[in-house]
Amino acid sequence: MPRTKQKFDLVIAANRLPVDRVVDADGEVSWRTSPGGLVTAMESVMRGREGAWVGWAGEAGEAPEPFEQDDMFLNPVALSEDEVAHYYEGFSNDTLWPIYHDVIVSATFHRYWFAAYEVVNRRFAEAVCEVAAKGATVWVHDYQLQLVPAMVREMRPDVRIGWFNHIPFPPVELFAQLPWRRAILEGLLGADFLGFQRVADAQNFIRACRQLLSLPTKGDTVSESRSEGARRIRASAVPISIDFKGLEELAKQPGTHARAKEIRASLGDPETLILGVDRLDYTKGIGHRIKAYGELLEEGRVAPPKQMFVQVATPSRERVDAYRDLRAEIEGEVGRLNGEFSTIGAPAVQYLHHSYPRNEMAALYLAADVLLVTPLRDGMNLVAKEYVTCRHDNGGALVLSEFTGAYHELHQAFVCNPHDIEGLKQTIMRAIETPPKEKARLMRAMRRRVADHDVQHWAARFLENLAKAPERGGV
């Protein structure tokens, strides 16, 4: 029986709800907005719109009853302990994630993981249909829910379905390794419009449909024939962005500036403060960056306290073996560098294994002279855009991997190939040594790009494409 009779014209479906459950000292339960790129992006999209969000509340067991938070209707989906282990940690993050990120670590294939993925995707699809009004727009997000579009279409052919992939979509040669490749492609083809971060990702999807399903493709569309008749599905690049105005306002606050000065003072007011901010994930190239920085220390080209390096590594997927191994490896290397190159009160690498609130991150960005963004593969990397947004003073320098989606927009960054350690070292030094006037010119150009292509522009463009698909949207 449906848990709610409320219906909405816009329904978002994502693996997680945009809130975390908080229990205070008196046992009172409340909800607060979650950190993370998707939530931050969608929060501003949903502002001022009547809509529902379908997602998991983050804890195994029964789902809370539907509730309202910040003018948004939240419809929680339940996951059991086994489903968290098999659907989320297993199939989503130990099978799909490696395949979609160039198989940096090997993917693991288990049939019972995929069975759990199917069951959970069906549950999400049912929860979507429960709150979708007749003719509603349904916007499904990311790799955890790739079967949902076709499942929703089967139950509710009246709704308009879009799907957006926040991570890369792999070349067909890698995607073909998946034993369940047909089911995933057919699941995605339930959508009217599929949005990807890069043109190459959309092309990879179209190529996979052509080569693995033998479907006809033309330009950015795929044609498929089902019992109800032929359909054309459009797939194209709609790169995600951030709330430029909101973050810039936060960065301009006197309290943020005061905190940025405090951060620099606590580090001994170095000549150059170098910063890394990442989830602790093997795709982020943290090890490559630390290796390059370690060699610069060995060569005497950087040295604390004149140059200080702060690495923020947000905890991530700590029950997955590859992530536990990565943490041990990174922390071991940081310990070695600190043992060899630190002086009293001036560590070679200041390593912080925490997550931080938005205002602290804005202060860190303002404090940092150089930001290192060196993923081996990344769908977008919103950290790069956040840094550029916070630098309303046109200060700072962005070192950016060519394997990020952001590289295709932020052409004025100091671009690197993180696999080339020698090249990465030279790029870091160029970012440090380039005259401030030239760095300001580069930063101004990047800020213009992010301001003109903010999260509202992204959402409007996606929804316009979805409304007009399979024809092209005009935004």
Side-chain angles (χ1 to χ4, degrees):
M1 236 181 102
R3 295 185 300 164
T4 175
K5 291 180 180 172
Q6 286 184 265
K7 304 288 181 185
F8 298 87
D9 290 328
L10 175 62
V11 180
I12 304 293
N15 175 60
R16 285 293 302 273
L17 288 175
V19 292
D20 291 323
R21 187 168 174 268
V22 180
V23 183
D24 67 17
D26 301 324
E28 286 287 311
V29 174
S30 62
W31 299 88
R32 70 161 174 233
T33 303
S34 313
L38 171 60
V39 172
T40 308
M42 293 308 295
E43 188 185 21
S44 53
V45 170
M46 294 294 276
R47 211 177 290 140
R49 296 175 194 258
E50 280 243 318
W53 186 307
V54 172
W56 174 45
E59 292 182 5
E62 283 187 33
E65 286 299 308
F67 62 99
E68 285 199 22
Q69 175 89 2
D70 299 331
D71 300 324
M72 198 188 308
F73 185 84
L74 305 183
N75 194 22
V77 172
L79 292 184
S80 69
E81 290 271 8
D82 278 352
E83 285 166 345
V84 173
H86 300 157
Y87 144 79
Y88 180 66
E89 291 168 352
F91 194 75
S92 294
N93 291 322
D94 216 358
T95 302
L96 293 175
W97 184 268
I99 291 282
Y100 284 41
H101 289 86
D102 293 355
V103 198
I104 294 164
V105 303
S106 298
T108 307
F109 303 122
H110 289 305
R111 283 168 284 186
Y112 64 92
W113 283 1
F114 181 70
Y117 186 81
E118 275 187 304
V119 167
V120 171
N121 271 243
R122 175 73 59 184
R123 194 174 303 144
F124 269 84
E126 287 165 355
V128 165
C129 294
E130 191 178 271
V131 293
K134 186 166 179 59
T137 294
V138 173
W139 189 351
V140 184
H141 287 268
D142 230 358
Y143 64 104
Q144 300 97 341
L145 303 179
Q146 292 177 103
L147 307 182
V148 168
M151 290 172 170
V152 170
R153 178 160 300 284
E154 182 191 331
M155 291 184 262
R156 290 287 303 275
D158 61 294
V159 301
R160 198 90 177 136
I161 305 165
W163 177 80
F164 184 76
N165 197 33
H166 291 258
I167 67 172
F169 195 88
V172 67
E173 293 79 9
L174 295 179
F175 185 78
Q177 292 180 29
L178 282 167
W180 308 278
R181 62 199 193 185
R182 174 173 285 274
I184 287 169
L185 291 176
E186 289 175 348
L188 292 174
L189 289 169
D192 296 288
F193 175 68
L194 300 161
F196 296 87
Q197 299 281 27
R198 303 173 307 144
V199 171
D201 296 321
Q203 289 172 341
N204 285 344
F205 170 77
I206 293 208
R207 202 173 295 122
C209 291
R210 188 168 64 243
Q211 292 185 23
L212 302 177
L213 298 185
S214 301
L215 291 176
T217 65
K218 184 177 181 183
D220 56 7
T221 62
V222 180
S223 299
E224 63 146 16
S225 179
R226 296 195 180 193
S227 53
E228 71 273 18
R231 291 176 60 244
R232 275 169 66 228
I233 299 94
R234 185 159 172 255
S236 69
V238 190
I240 196 171
S241 195
I242 62 170
D243 178 11
F244 181 89
K245 199 176 284 183
L247 186 55
E248 185 188 49
E249 278 171 16
L250 177 60
K252 283 181 172 177
Q253 287 177 7
T256 308
H257 275 266
R259 179 63 188 138
K261 281 183 181 169
E262 235 176 64
I263 289 168
R264 289 189 72 95
S266 71
L267 295 165
D269 280 319
E271 270 182 33
T272 310
L273 175 54
I274 300 162
L275 177 66
V277 175
D278 310 86
R279 264 189 328 102
L280 189 53
D281 191 294
Y282 51 78
T283 63
K284 301 295 185 184
I286 302 170
H288 295 63
R289 158 187 338 162
I290 288 172
K291 181 175 175 58
Y293 193 74
E295 289 189 12
L296 290 173
L297 286 166
E298 283 164 12
E299 292 163 12
R301 295 166 76 185
V302 296
K306 199 173 165 185
Q307 286 83 27
M308 298 290 280
F309 177 32
V310 175
Q311 174 63 54
V312 176
T314 307
S316 177
R317 301 171 189 163
E318 295 188 299
R319 300 205 308 186
V320 178
D321 286 346
Y323 289 80
R324 284 201 297 263
D325 294 346
L326 175 71
R327 181 178 176 185
E329 183 187 315
I330 297 296
E331 292 181 358
E333 185 58 16
V334 166
R336 184 186 75 78
L337 293 178
N338 280 338
E340 286 185 33
F341 299 104
S342 297
T343 59
I344 291 172
V349 181
Q350 190 98 339
Y351 174 80
L352 306 165
H353 188 239
H354 314 286
S355 58
Y356 289 96
R358 203 155 166 255
N359 55 343
E360 182 72 358
M361 289 313 306
L364 267 168
Y365 292 142
L366 266 180
D369 300 295
V370 177
L371 180 75
L372 304 183
V373 177
T374 60
L376 310 179
R377 171 63 68 206
D378 215 338
M380 174 50 64
N381 197 287
L382 293 178
V383 165
K385 291 188 174 184
E386 287 170 1
Y387 180 67
V388 164
T389 299
C390 286
R391 296 316 302 242
H392 58 87
D393 58 349
N394 292 319
L398 173 63
V399 172
L400 183 62
S401 164
E402 64 188 80
F403 303 117
T404 62
Y407 158 74
H408 297 273
E409 296 184 77
L410 304 179
H411 303 296
Q412 295 82 8
F414 292 86
V415 177
C416 70
N417 170 3
H419 297 282
D420 173 9
I421 300 298
E422 197 57 45
L424 177 53
K425 285 158 59 181
Q426 305 310 332
T427 307
I428 292 170
M429 293 312 298
R430 271 197 301 118
I432 293 171
E433 292 166 355
T434 295
K437 195 173 173 184
E438 173 62 9
K439 287 198 270 201
R441 184 186 69 78
L442 299 172
M443 186 59 72
R444 258 193 306 274
M446 290 190 286
R447 282 176 51 73
R448 267 198 306 273
R449 170 72 195 190
V450 180
D452 292 345
H453 295 79
D454 65 356
V455 71
Q456 297 291 354
H457 176 87
W458 167 72
R461 199 171 152 215
F462 184 94
L463 292 169
E464 172 95 357
N465 276 301
L466 174 54
K468 293 189 174 176
E471 303 312 316
R472 287 173 182 272
V475 177

